[in-house]
């Protein structure tokens, strides 16, 4: 088996979890299957860097001394806001030499500044997607996925999504069983698909300012199988349906119907992932009523029916 070198770029004010999350995944793969990965870290001059949280990281070598790696991983962090021009120049020259180019969080901004994402699909932390699209119109920025693969280039969203992407790369390089073992060891989910939104329904929507609307948000979350039409929710908020619909959208950023759709999809997805309940039972518990209604919702939102979703993302029994 060919050993793959993973070179992680370090710089001052890097986000520490962008570095350590993927590194732990690749290190776990090396422990599981020795000889598969060699992890190296490098800074511009080979000196220590201070992360945005105050940790000091000591690299293995200087970037100028690093041979072309199989996987070049560029993390994000506050240091991407005003990157050292020398780092951008190094990436521009050396990025194309890597067999696989990977960014975590705002590391995509560094790749973009180096011209390595032009003409490609990419993502980054949700708070920086608009900036990436504005400053680099040649990039097709996808705001929702937790990671995006475009040929040999892979970009991930905010912080912990670097772990999701690294697990996907290990599964591709080795196999699903190896990735599952690593995910279990790290106590994270392997099964979060790349097209899953960066936000849960509760995070995607703003929290309403008025207490009655906040209570309705919580009620929806706790009762996805309840009567969640606008009239019923408006009565719970003690508002007219028209006033409720307007106020809910104004304060949360989405319509009541869209919020209900997200909560129900999220609830159904968790049940498919974490239980052995039948699809019919899950469809009722999640408020869809019938399995066909749930199937249509899954295909529209995730591009896959519930049964296939479960097959792909329900963990195999531990041995």
């Amino acid at each position: 088996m060919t050993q793959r070198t993973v070179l992680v770029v370090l710089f001052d004010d890097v986000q520490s979890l962008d570095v350590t999350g993927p590194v732990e995944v690749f290190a776990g793969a090396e422990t599981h299957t020795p000889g598969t990965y060699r992890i190296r870290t490098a800074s511009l001059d080979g000196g220590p860097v201070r992360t945005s949280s105050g940790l000091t990281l000591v690299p293995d070598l200087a970037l100028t001394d690093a041979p072309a790696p199989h996987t070049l991983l560029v993390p994000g962090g506050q240091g991407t806001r005003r990157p050292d021009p020398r780092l951008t120049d190094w990436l521009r020259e050396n990025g194309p030499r890597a067999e696989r180019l990977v960014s975590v969080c705002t590391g995509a901004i560094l790749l973009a500044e180096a011209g390595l994402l032009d003409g490609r699909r990419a993502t980054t932390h949700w708070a920086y997607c608009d900036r990436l699209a504005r400053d680099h119109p040649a990039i097709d920025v996808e705001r929702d996925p937790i990671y995006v693969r475009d040929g040999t280039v892979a970009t991930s969203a905010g912080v912990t999504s670097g772990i999701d992407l690294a697990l996907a790369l290990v599964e591709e390089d080795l196999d699903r069983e190896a990735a599952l073992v690593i995910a279990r060891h790290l106590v994270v989910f392997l099964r979060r698909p790349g097209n899953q939104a960066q936000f849960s329904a509760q995070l995607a929507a703003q929290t309403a300012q008025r207490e009655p609307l906040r209570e309705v948000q919580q009620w929806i979350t706790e009762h996805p199988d309840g009567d969640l039409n606008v009239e019923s929710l408006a009565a719970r908020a003690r508002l007219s349906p028209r006033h409720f619909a307007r106020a809910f959208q104004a304060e949360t950023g989405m319509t009541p119907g869209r919020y209900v759709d997200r909560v129900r999809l999220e609830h159904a997805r968790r049940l498919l992932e974490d239980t052995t309940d039948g699809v019919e039972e899950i469809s009722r518990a999640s408020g869809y009523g019938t399995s066909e209604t749930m199937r249509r919702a899954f295909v529209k939102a995730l591009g896959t029916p519930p049964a296939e979703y479960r097959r792909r993302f329900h963990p195999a029994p531990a041995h």
Side-chain angles (χ1 to χ4, degrees):
M1 183 176 294
T2 302
Q3 186 179 57
R4 297 170 174 86
T5 301
V6 179
L7 179 65
V8 184
V9 176
L10 301 182
F11 48 87
D12 283 326
D13 281 330
V14 69
Q15 163 63 249
S16 57
L17 193 54
D18 287 6
V19 176
T20 59
V23 163
E24 289 294 339
V25 172
F26 290 118
E30 171 62 20
T31 299
H32 179 270
T33 310
T36 52
Y37 293 103
R38 183 180 185 226
I39 304 164
R40 307 283 280 169
T41 57
S43 64
L44 273 171
D45 57 6
V49 301
R50 190 172 179 83
T51 71
S52 57
S53 60
L55 296 175
T56 298
L57 301 179
V58 181
D60 296 309
L61 71 166
L63 283 172
T64 52
D65 297 329
H70 175 276
T71 300
L72 179 62
L73 191 148
V74 182
Q78 295 176 12
T80 65
R81 296 178 185 175
R82 296 180 181 85
D84 188 320
R86 294 179 300 156
L87 178 56
T88 305
D89 290 343
W90 185 91
L91 288 171
R92 184 179 297 110
E93 180 179 352
N94 294 275
R97 299 177 183 175
E99 294 185 42
R100 186 163 61 194
L101 196 56
V102 176
S103 71
V104 181
C105 196
T106 55
I109 292 176
L110 295 179
L111 296 185
E113 291 289 340
L116 299 173
L117 297 182
D118 288 353
R120 294 186 180 273
R121 296 162 44 248
T123 192
T124 187
H125 190 289
W126 62 269
Y128 292 89
C129 282
D130 287 343
R131 170 185 164 180
L132 184 63
R134 182 190 67 242
D135 294 348
H136 302 278
I139 302 172
D140 181 7
V141 178
E142 298 193 8
R143 291 166 171 77
D144 288 334
I146 58 173
Y147 59 80
V148 171
R149 303 286 300 277
D150 189 335
T152 59
V153 177
T155 54
S156 62
V159 194
T160 57
S161 61
I163 296 175
D164 295 278
L165 177 53
L167 285 167
L169 296 176
V170 167
E171 183 174 0
E172 175 184 291
D173 293 342
L174 303 181
D175 55 40
R176 179 176 174 80
E177 183 57 34
L180 276 169
V181 168
I182 298 161
R184 292 186 186 123
H185 178 72
L186 296 177
V187 197
V188 297
F189 296 121
L190 170 67
R191 57 192 179 275
R192 206 160 54 138
N195 64 350
Q196 181 174 317
Q198 294 190 36
F199 297 126
S200 67
Q202 291 79 10
L203 288 176
Q206 304 166 38
T207 301
Q209 296 180 0
R210 282 180 277 182
E211 186 172 349
L213 295 178
R214 289 200 303 271
E215 291 176 353
V216 168
Q217 284 183 283
Q218 187 64 29
W219 171 264
I220 294 171
T221 301
E222 295 175 352
H223 302 85
D225 59 340
D227 184 359
L228 302 182
N229 60 48
V230 170
E231 289 74 17
S232 298
L233 296 177
R236 184 167 294 278
R238 298 176 293 280
L239 297 171
S240 71
R242 186 175 181 181
H243 187 188
F244 168 76
R246 286 180 174 177
F248 190 95
Q249 182 165 7
E251 295 198 16
T252 68
M254 64 176 65
T255 66
R258 178 61 174 155
Y259 188 80
V260 167
D261 288 344
R262 289 199 175 197
V263 167
R264 284 176 167 163
L265 182 71
E266 198 169 290
H267 187 263
R269 203 183 63 236
R270 284 199 299 268
L271 292 179
L272 288 168
E273 294 170 353
D274 299 333
T275 76
T276 57
D277 296 345
V279 172
E280 287 285 354
E281 183 179 355
I282 291 173
S283 66
R284 291 192 297 270
S286 302
Y288 289 110
T290 69
S291 59
E292 177 57 24
T293 301
M294 187 169 83
R295 188 193 71 80
R296 289 197 299 268
F298 266 67
V299 170
K300 180 179 179 181
L302 301 176
T304 186
E308 175 63 14
Y309 182 93
R310 167 170 273 173
R311 188 190 70 79
R312 292 171 58 194
F313 304 117
H314 186 79
H319 296 295

